[in-house]
Amino acid sequence: MKRIKMRRFLQDKKYPALDFLKYVGPGLIVAVGFIDPGNWAANLAAGSQFGYKLLWVITLSTIMLAFLQHNVAHLGIVTGKCLSENATQYLRPWLSRTVLGTGVLASISTAVAEILGGAIALQMLFKLPIVVGAILTAGLVIWFLFSNSYPKIEKVIIGFVSLIGIALLLEIFIIPHINWGQAAKGMVIPFVDAKSMPIIMSALGVVVMPHNLFLHSEVIQSRQWNLKDEAVMERQLRFEFFDTIFSMFLGWVINSAIIIIAAALFFPRIVTEINQAQEMLVPLLGPVAAIIFAIAFLFAGVASSVTAGMAGGSIFAGIFAEL
């Protein structure tokens, strides 16, 4: 009886905000792509070398990403086809094959880097050699991709994102001397000099990632939002907007948290490697903080490797959509 009442409560039109919860998922799948090991490395370098001054890069890149992802998600909803399929249909064959071929290669390269990130996390946690860790991570990713349906993968990814966020929040609560005033200032006031330009470009590049555009246009169709009824479609488009903004906001929080942690703990000492950051955490905050850091990094590596594989598969399938 309680279940029936709860179901009716969720379906009641008086509570449209609760409908949003049913559509959260596609945006979070994409958000994983910009909290991957590459982001961690860029953010740690930004925080350790420049303190809170480069937080504005995360704000700007997240706004850019939200705009792009929102538009490509609309494309998937309205056309019922992903970005790769639309490119195959509307671009000249030589151009679409070139663009999509480079997209597949980019997804593969991204997945390789993220598998390496998972291997580094296993090395930090269990002292495993990088090669062994890479094989284990790749095997886990392949198992995820080939043995699970999209709904199951979505739930796992949401779990990973949640655990990464919780782990970083725990790190922040442990740190006693964060300058929140400087952090707030750094989020909105641009700082650029010759030394910071490589890190700024790196941070922008690891947030605005092209394979995420292909992925979002594909996974957004998991809810079968491309319906013929225009009124229903318009309603679903609004839900997509909230899902995208909510997910991009979470990505912004996680990336900003990494920079804040690095700025509070390491600045002005330069951190260039993830292992180095973990080793420096032990004398500063203790072994528990270092373990939490490594676990969050492992979740980021595995989750982003799965989504990179999904993106590559979507692009590759789209190349042959008309054949």
Side-chain angles (χ1 to χ4, degrees), residues 50-239:
F50 297 96
Y52 305 101
K53 293 181 179 179
L54 296 185
L55 279 165
W56 68 271
V57 179
I58 303 302
T59 302
L60 175 62
S61 58
T62 303
I63 293 172
M64 293 167 58
L65 182 63
F67 174 79
L68 293 171
Q69 298 293 161
H70 173 58
N71 280 278
V72 79
H74 271 206
L75 176 72
I77 294 171
V78 174
T79 65
K81 297 179 180 180
C82 67
L83 181 59
S84 180
E85 292 171 326
N86 277 286
T88 299
Q89 182 175 350
Y90 294 108
L91 296 180
R92 294 182 181 277
W94 68 268
L95 180 57
S96 67
R97 294 294 176 84
T98 301
V99 171
L100 298 179
T102 57
V104 172
L105 293 176
S107 297
I108 294 171
S109 301
T110 302
V112 170
E114 290 161 349
I115 287 171
L116 177 60
I120 293 173
L122 290 174
Q123 185 183 58
M124 291 189 291
L125 287 168
F126 306 110
K127 307 302 180 183
L128 293 178
I130 290 294
V131 174
V132 175
I135 293 173
L136 291 175
T137 304
L140 179 60
V141 170
I142 292 171
W143 176 79
F144 265 119
L145 290 172
F146 288 97
S147 66
N148 289 283
S149 62
Y150 170 76
K152 291 182 180 179
I153 291 178
E154 181 182 286
K155 291 176 183 177
V156 171
I157 296 298
I158 291 174
F160 280 164
V161 173
S162 301
L163 290 171
I164 293 168
I166 292 170
L168 291 174
L169 285 175
L170 288 174
E171 295 278 359
I172 286 178
F173 283 127
I174 293 172
I175 299 171
H177 49 273
I178 295 175
N179 190 329
W180 290 108
Q182 289 295 321
K185 181 180 177 181
M187 289 177 184
V188 295
I189 299 178
F191 168 83
V192 180
D193 65 10
K195 293 182 179 179
S196 67
M197 280 305 297
I199 295 179
I200 290 173
M201 298 305 296
S202 175
L204 284 171
V206 294
V207 171
V208 185
M209 304 179 75
H211 76 279
N212 273 339
L213 300 176
F214 292 97
L215 178 62
H216 203 173
S217 66
E218 175 72 36
V219 299
I220 199 68
Q221 298 174 57
S222 64
R223 301 294 195 279
Q224 296 182 343
W225 285 0
N226 49 304
L227 305 174
K228 294 181 180 180
D229 189 323
E230 290 188 5
V232 175
M233 185 179 293
E234 288 178 3
R235 180 170 177 269
Q236 310 307 344
L237 288 170
R238 289 196 297 272
F239 280 120

Side-chain angles (χ1 to χ4, degrees), residues 22-66:
K22 297 185 295 185
Y23 298 96
V24 172
L28 288 173
I29 293 287
V30 174
V32 166
F34 72 103
I35 56 175
D36 67 350
N39 292 79
W40 284 59
N43 294 335
L44 285 171
S48 64
Q49 295 182 42
F50 297 96
Y52 305 101
K53 293 181 179 179
L54 296 185
L55 279 165
W56 68 271
V57 179
I58 303 302
T59 302
L60 175 62
S61 58
T62 303
I63 293 172
M64 293 167 58
L65 182 63

